Amino acid sequence: MKTVYISLIIYILMPLLAHSQIHKTYQGDFLKGKARYQYYEDADYNRIYDGSFNYSRVPAYVEMASIMGCKFYKATGVLAGIYKKGNKNGKWTYNEEISFSHYSLGKVEYVVACSTNFTNGNRSGLWTYNKTGTESRIINLNFKENEVIGQFKVTNNHITKENNTFIKANTTLSGTFDNEGKFIGKWMYNDNDNEIIADFTNNIITKLLVRSVKYGTVSIKYDDTEIVNWYLESGFSNPSYQLINFDELQHNGFYNNINIIYENVKSTIKEFDEPMLNTNKWGCYDYILAKPQVLVVK
C-alpha cells in the first residue's frame, strides 16, 4: 500500500517537475530593442529568467535628442549577463557607442563601458563606469549585499551651457564608506565654482569647509570634531546631545553642501540603473545608502 501511495504522488508531480525543468530560449523584440535570453516557466506559467541574457537597443535619450535636432550616425547599447532563477548573478556588462552632430558642438562621439557584479540579485563587488570621447566620466564604487562600501570616486568632464555659451566643466567626488555603508573619513567635492571638504566619523559629520575654486575664499567653516569624539566615547548616551539625519536641519548653507555630496552619491548609483535594467522587476535588489548624521543639542 505504501509503494502505491508513493507511486501516486510521483505520478501527480511528474508534469510539474518536468514543466519546471524545461529551459527555453526567446529571441526577438524586447522593450525598445532586441533580446535573446533563456528562461523556464514555473507552475503558474510565470517566466523565470535563467541563463544567458543579451539585450541590444537604442539608448533611451536618443529619441529626445533627435527631437531637439541632433542627427545620429550611430547609437547602440548592448547589455549582457547571466540570470539564475530570476536573479542577476555574476558579471553584467553594458557597452554603448554614440555618434551624432549637434547644432553648436559639431560632431559628438563617445563610448561607454559599464561593468557590475551581482550575487543572487544583490549588488556586490566592484562596479565601474567608463565614458570616453567628447565628454568623459569615470565611476568606481563597491557594494556588499546592496550596501555601498569602500572607496567611492567619480570624475566627470562634461559640456555645459553658461550665458548661452557651451563650456567644458569638471566635477569630481571622492570619499570612503565603511563595511556597514557609513560615511567615514574625508569626502571631497569639486566643480568649476566650489570645493566642499567634509570629514565624517562613524557617519557623523565632524568638519565642513566650503571655499571658492577661483579665489580660495571660505564661505563655510565648521568643526565639531572634539564634541563628536567626546560623544562617541560616552557611548552615545550623553543626555544633552542627540544625533539627527542631516536632512532634518533647516535648509541652510550647511545642509545644502552636505546634500550636494549625498545627492551626487545617489545619482551616481542610479546612473547604472537605466542601462543595466537594475530594478526589482529585472532581478536586482535596491541599494542601501546611509544618511549622514549631525550631532545637535537637545
Side-chain angles (χ1 to χ4, degrees):
M1 183 67 181
K2 185 176 181 180
T3 304
V4 174
Y5 181 69
I6 293 173
S7 298
L8 180 61
I9 293 176
I10 294 173
Y11 178 78
I12 293 171
L13 293 177
M14 274 184 65
L16 294 177
L17 293 172
H19 181 78
S20 66
Q21 293 171 355
I22 297 175
H23 277 72
K24 301 178 182 180
T25 299
Y26 172 83
Q27 183 169 351
D29 293 338
F30 184 84
L31 299 178
K32 293 187 176 182
K34 302 285 185 181
R36 177 185 173 87
Y37 61 81
Q38 296 173 317
Y39 70 98
Y40 64 86
E41 294 177 342
D42 63 16
D44 295 320
Y45 296 95
N46 295 309
R47 186 167 292 192
I48 310 298
Y49 300 105
D50 194 62
S52 62
F53 182 95
N54 190 285
Y55 171 42
S56 301
R57 56 126 196 208
V58 174
Y61 52 82
V62 169
E63 183 178 353
M64 179 61 69
S66 297
I67 294 174
M68 295 173 63
C70 295
K71 181 181 179 181
F72 282 82
Y73 304 108
K74 189 172 186 179
T76 61
V78 179
L79 172 65
I82 299 292
Y83 273 104
K84 184 178 180 181
K85 296 181 179 180
N87 288 321
K88 290 183 175 180
N89 261 275
K91 184 177 181 179
W92 279 69
T93 61
Y94 176 77
N95 294 282
E96 181 177 292
E97 290 187 51
I98 296 292
S99 176
F100 65 92
S101 62
H102 187 273
Y103 66 94
S104 292
L105 302 176
K107 191 172 184 179
V108 176
E109 295 180 301
Y110 60 82
V111 174
V112 172
C114 181
S115 176
T116 60
N117 291 278
F118 297 88
T119 302
N120 296 325
N122 294 308
R123 303 166 190 240
S124 62
L126 178 64
W127 285 35
T128 63
Y129 180 104
N130 193 345
K131 178 181 180 181
T132 58
T134 306
E135 295 182 316
S136 66
R137 184 166 174 80
I138 300 173
I139 301 171
N140 288 280
L141 59 96
N142 295 270
F143 282 101
K144 179 183 179 183
E145 295 181 352
N146 300 317
E147 284 189 330
V148 193
I149 65 167
Q151 296 294 315
F152 184 101
K153 188 172 183 179
V154 184
T155 302
N156 190 27
N157 299 308
H158 61 286
I159 298 172
T160 187
K161 196 171 185 179
E162 186 176 288
N163 298 324
N164 294 319
T165 302
F166 287 96
I167 62 170
K168 286 192 174 183
N170 302 315
T171 305
T172 60
L173 173 63
S174 63
T176 306
F177 293 96
D178 68 10
N179 285 333
E180 295 179 349
K182 298 176 181 178
F183 287 81
I184 59 171
K186 191 177 298 295
W187 279 76
M188 301 184 69
Y189 171 86
N190 192 304
D191 60 23
N192 280 13
D193 298 316
N194 293 303
E195 181 180 34
I196 303 170
I197 304 172
D199 282 55
F200 297 84
T201 299
N202 197 35
N203 208 53
I204 306 170
I205 304 160
T206 57
K207 289 183 181 181
L208 177 65
L209 177 73
V210 182
R211 61 185 178 186
S212 166
V213 170
K214 295 178 181 177
Y215 308 109
T217 51
V218 174
S219 56
I220 295 177
K221 189 173 183 179
Y222 165 89
D223 188 346
D224 223 8
T225 306
E226 288 188 12
I227 296 177
V228 170
N229 288 339
W230 171 69
Y231 179 77
L232 293 174
E233 289 171 1
S234 70
F236 299 87
S237 60
N238 190 290
S240 300
Y241 292 88
Q242 66 177 342
L243 288 172
I244 63 171
N245 291 335
F246 84 97
D247 55 0
E248 295 178 46
L249 296 170
Q250 294 181 347
H251 286 214
N252 53 24
F254 183 92
Y255 163 87
N256 292 339
N257 285 280
I258 295 299
N259 194 52
I260 287 174
I261 292 175
Y262 181 71
E263 289 297 329
N264 268 274
V265 171
K266 286 175 59 177
S267 63
T268 298
I269 297 170
K270 289 182 178 180
E271 192 159 344
F272 289 88
D273 290 350
E274 193 277 328
M276 301 293 292
L277 299 180
N278 284 345
T279 63
N280 290 341
K281 178 181 178 181
W282 299 111
C284 170
Y285 298 110
D286 203 2
Y287 68 90
I288 301 169
L289 178 63
K291 286 186 178 180
Q293 294 186 304
V294 184
L295 186 64
V296 297
V297 177
K298 286 185 178 180

